[in-house]
Amino acid sequence: MLELTAIVAEVRHPTAHYRVIGFHAPAIAEPVRAGQFVNVLLRPGPLLRRPFSVYSAVGGVVEIIYRPVGEGTALLADLKEGDRVSLLGPLGRPFEFDPDWDSVALVSGGLGVAPMLLAARDARDAGLRVTWVHGARTVTELSPESAGDRSVIATDDGSAGHHGSAVAAVPDGVGGVLACGPNRMLAAVAARWPDAQVAVETYMGCGTGVCLGCAVPLRAGGYDRACKEGPVYRAADVDWEALPSHLHYAAGA
Amino acid sequence: MSVDMAVDVGELNLRGPVVAASGTFGYGTEVPLLERRALGAIVSKGIFLRPRIGNPPPRIVETPSGMLNAIGLQGPGVEALIRDYCPQWAAWDFPVLVNINGESAVEYGELAARLDGVPGVAGFEINVSCPNVEQGGMYFGNDPRAAAEVTAAVRRRTRLPIWVKLTPMVSDIAVIARACESAGADGLSAVNTFVGMSIDLHTYRPRLAFRTGGLSGPAIRPMAVHLAHQAARAVRIPVIGVGGIVSADDALEFLVAGCSAVQVGTATFADPRAIARVHDGIAAHLEARGLSSLAELPRYLPRD
Ligand SMILES: Cc1cc2nc3c(=O)[nH]c(=O)nc-3n(C[C@H](O)[C@H](O)[C@H](O)COP(=O)(O)O)c2cc1C
Ligand code: FES
C-alpha cells in the first residue's frame, strides 16, 4: 500500500449520470487488482478520505467512477486536469479467479459497475469467458461502458433490456459469479449463488484496518473489516440482515 | 534537527511528545507507512479480559470537522493480545501502553495483573471514558469515587506506569483528575470523545446503529484544550492532551496549556503520517523560536 500525491490526468462525463476521473498514479495502477480500492483525500474537503473502487488502470492512470451525491463526491466534481489529490492504495482484498472456472459472470447494479472493468481484464488474463450483466433503475442510469464476450442489460422499469433485476437476468450455466452493487442486491446474489464473490460497501474511517469502523457482520458471528479482510466476500459468509443497506452517500447506487 | 524533543511522562522516558491515541492505531502493527522515529509511544486499542465483538454497523459517521464512532471496543481479548501482539511490541524501541477496560473495578485489576510483566507492555491507560459500551466505560469516569476505585484496583496489581483516560462528559474534570491522582495514577490522558448523535433524514433514524457515538476530530479541539488545561491545573502528575490534533500548532496549544505530551487520533485516518508531521512541526517551531529543547517551551499554567 502506498500514499502518494497524484495529478488529475483526465475528467470524463460518459453519461449525465456518471463521472469518471483519472489520476496519474503508476505505482498504484500497476499492482491494483479488481475489487481493490483507493482512499482519496481532498484538501480542502471533508475530514476523512473517501473510498472508491478502482474502475480502470491503463497507462499509469487510475480511474474511479462516481456520482456527485455527497460532500466528498461534489468536491471531486470540481477537480480539473492538473489538480492534485492524495491517494492511498491499492487497498483491500481483490476478487479471486478459481482455476476450475471456464467462464465468469460479472454482475453489477448501478455504481456497482465500479470494479467490473478491471474484473473483466483480470478474468481475461485468467483465460475466462466473460458474461457482463448490468442493471440499473432506468435506461439513463445504465453504466456507460461494458466489457466481456457477451453483455446482458436489465432495468427495474423495463426501459432497456430485461425488465427486472440484474441478478434475475444472469443466464444459467456461468462458472463463477462476481457481483457488486447495493447491499440488498448482493443479498439476492447470495441467495442464488452462495459461493459468489461480492464486493460490499460500508462506511470507512481509515481504510487501512486500524479503526474498526467498516464492520461487516458475518454469518459465523462477529464482524470483520471491509477494508482489510474485504471488501470482497463469499456471498454466503455475510449476514445480510445485519449489513446496512442504506449509505447516504451511496443513495441510488 | 538539533532540538531535544525527549520528554519524561512520569517514569516513562519518551523520545518525543507525540503519542498514538488508543483506537486509532490498532495494535501498532497494521498502520501503513509507520514512521517509528517520530513515535513517542503507542496506546493500543482498548482491550477487555475476554474477546468482544463490538457494535453493529454503521459504526462511524462523519460530521462537520469531526466524526462520531461507536465501535464498541471490539477486540480479541487479553490472551490473544499477549500471543499475537506483545512479542512484536517487545522488539520496538518505543513504549506501548495497553488501553484497559472492564465492567467492574475487579476486572480492570485482573487485566492489569495478567499483562504486568509481559514483555512488550510498558504501561497502562485505564479507559474509564468509553461512551460506546453498555457496561462500565464512561460511567466509571464521571464519578470520582468509581474512577478512584478503578485506578486503585489497577495500582494494587502493577508497578508499571498508569495513565487514566478521562471523559469530557463531566461537570468538573478537576475533581475526577484529583481523585485519580490520589488513587495512584502516574498520568492523565485528557480527553476521550464527547457523546454525540446524528440523524439520517432518509430513514429518520440515528445514523449510528448504537444511536450515539463519540465525537472526535478538530470539532472538539478547543473544548479538549480547555479540559486538558483544567486537569493540568488540578494535579501534579503529567497530563497528556488529546482531542482534534491535526497539526503541530494544534499540539503546541495543548503543550502550552500545561500538557507534558499529546496524543494524535482521528488525524491519522486521513494522513497515516500525521504523527511524524506533528512531531517534525513541533521541532521546527521550537527551532524557529530559538529554543533548544521542548522543555524550554513556555507554559501557561496558573495553579488553582
Ligand atoms: C474509531 C475510534 C476508536 C477509538 N477507540 C478508543 C479506545 O479503544 N480506547 C480509548 O481510550 N479511546 C478510544 N478512542 C478515543 C481516542 O483515543 C481519542 O481520545 C479521541 O478520538 C480524541 O482524539 P482525536 O480527536 O485526535 O481523535 C477512539 C477514537 C476513535 C475515533
Ligand atoms: S475503515 Fe478503518 S478498519 Fe476499515
Side-chain angles (χ1 to χ4, degrees):
Chain A
M1 165 197 339
L2 295 162
E3 194 251 340
L4 49 85
T5 301
I7 294 174
V8 175
E10 36 122 17
V11 176
R12 301 192 280 126
H13 297 197
T15 72
H17 200 68
Y18 293 96
R19 300 185 186 211
V20 174
I21 183 161
F23 305 102
H24 186 70
I28 294 175
E30 207 273 315
V32 73
R33 292 290 166 267
Q36 291 188 301
F37 63 99
V38 287
N39 220 358
V40 182
L41 182 70
L42 296 163
R43 285 290 176 266
L47 178 69
L48 299 174
R49 289 174 184 264
R50 291 288 182 274
F52 293 93
S53 280
V54 173
Y55 182 57
S56 82
V58 178
V61 173
V62 169
E63 284 190 335
I64 61 172
I65 185 167
Y66 68 100
R67 291 186 51 211
V69 286
E71 186 195 354
T73 44
L75 284 163
L76 270 183
D78 292 339
L79 288 178
K80 289 170 200 56
E81 232 179 279
D83 287 349
R84 284 156 190 275
V85 301
S86 160
L87 295 184
L88 196 58
L91 300 169
R93 220 163 44 85
F95 289 117
E96 277 165 25
F97 296 88
D98 188 323
D100 290 342
W101 297 341
D102 60 348
S103 68
V104 67
L106 308 181
V107 186
S108 63
L111 257 186
V113 73
M116 292 307 179
L117 280 188
L118 271 192
R121 179 200 72 179
D122 291 356
R124 265 193 307 266
D125 288 351
L128 302 175
R129 272 181 302 110
V130 174
T131 303
W132 177 275
V133 185
H134 176 69
R137 283 189 299 212
T138 185
V139 61
T140 53
E141 299 185 4
L142 284 168
S143 155
E145 279 145 319
S146 67
D149 305 296
R150 160 175 182 210
S151 176
V152 179
I153 293 301
T155 49
D156 293 344
D157 66 359
S159 52
H162 289 255
H163 190 165
S165 76
V167 176
V170 178
D172 288 328
V174 290
V177 173
L178 312 183
C180 184
N183 290 336
R184 61 183 179 280
M185 170 193 140
L186 300 183
V189 168
R192 185 164 168 197
W193 305 279
D195 287 326
Q197 292 174 47
V198 296
V200 303
E201 187 169 37
T202 67
Y203 290 113
M204 289 194 185
C206 63
T208 59
V210 294
C211 77
L212 307 178
C214 57
V216 174
L218 302 176
R219 283 277 294 279
Y223 303 95
D224 71 8
R225 300 165 296 182
C227 71
K228 263 299 210 235
E229 289 82 32
V232 173
Y233 288 88
R234 181 175 169 268
D237 290 347
V238 174
D239 179 356
W240 297 101
E241 300 279 294
L243 185 70
S245 60
H246 185 84
L247 305 189
H248 66 91
Y249 65 63
Chain B
M1 229 169 285
S2 55
V3 179
D4 180 5
M5 292 281 280
V7 53
D8 289 323
V9 179
E11 284 177 14
L12 275 181
N13 179 259
L14 310 186
R15 63 185 172 202
V18 190
V19 172
S22 179
T24 63
F25 229 73
Y27 303 95
T29 55
E30 306 85 338
V31 179
L33 321 164
L34 184 62
E35 291 191 54
R36 301 205 165 141
R37 61 170 179 92
L39 269 173
I42 289 179
V43 185
S44 73
K45 173 69 188 165
I47 192 100
F48 277 82
L49 277 172
R50 281 170 292 281
R52 277 177 70 95
I53 65 171
N55 291 331
R59 290 178 172 184
I60 55 173
V61 58
E62 187 164 339
T63 56
S65 298
M67 64 177 278
L68 289 169
N69 88 79
I71 307 300
L73 291 169
Q74 177 179 335
V78 71
E79 295 308 324
L81 185 85
I82 291 170
R83 185 188 66 225
D84 298 338
Y85 299 110
C86 295
Q88 300 185 61
W89 300 345
W92 293 351
D93 58 352
F94 54 84
V96 179
L97 290 90
V98 180
N99 184 272
I100 56 173
N101 296 266
E103 292 184 359
S104 65
V106 173
E107 269 187 39
Y108 282 90
E110 277 175 22
L111 192 46
R114 180 70 187 91
L115 286 162
D116 185 67
V118 172
V121 176
F124 300 103
E125 184 178 70
I126 302 177
N127 187 2
V128 286
S129 44
C130 182
N132 302 324
V133 290
E134 306 280 1
Q135 300 291 320
M138 200 174 81
Y139 302 98
F140 292 115
N142 54 25
D143 171 8
R145 292 228 318 275
E149 197 190 325
V150 171
T151 307
V154 174
R155 180 77 293 165
R156 278 195 292 276
R157 310 295 293 269
T158 181
R159 288 166 172 276
L160 290 172
I162 301 172
W163 300 351
V164 182
K165 180 101 173 251
L166 303 181
T167 172
M169 306 305 288
V170 292
S171 47
D172 186 355
I173 200 167
V175 173
I176 310 285
R178 281 192 216 100
C180 295
E181 180 181 43
S182 308
D186 301 297
L188 303 173
S189 305
V191 287
N192 209 315
T193 52
F194 290 70
V195 177
M197 179 164 160
S198 173
I199 301 288
D200 183 336
L201 294 182
H202 292 98
T203 60
Y204 299 123
R205 311 280 304 163
R207 285 202 160 107
L208 295 174
F210 194 67
R211 189 164 54 85
T212 57
L215 183 65
S216 64
I220 70 171
R221 189 194 312 129
M223 296 183 286
V225 170
H226 175 239
L227 288 162
H229 175 71
Q230 294 289 91
R233 284 176 68 161
V235 296
R236 298 281 155 186
I237 53 177
V239 171
I240 301 95
V242 203
I245 295 173
V246 175
S247 70
D249 284 4
D250 304 339
L252 283 158
E253 285 198 40
F254 281 94
L255 295 168
V256 172
C259 296
S260 304
V262 294
Q263 296 182 8
V264 173
T266 303
T268 297
F269 299 160
D271 178 6
R273 294 193 184 86
I275 286 181
R277 200 166 37 69
V278 170
H279 175 97
D280 294 347
I282 295 170
H285 173 97
L286 297 172
E287 199 166 40
R289 299 298 168 99
L291 305 173
S292 62
S293 75
L294 179 59
E296 292 168 31
L297 180 73
R299 311 283 169 150
Y300 173 73
L301 194 61
R303 288 290 173 181
D304 285 345

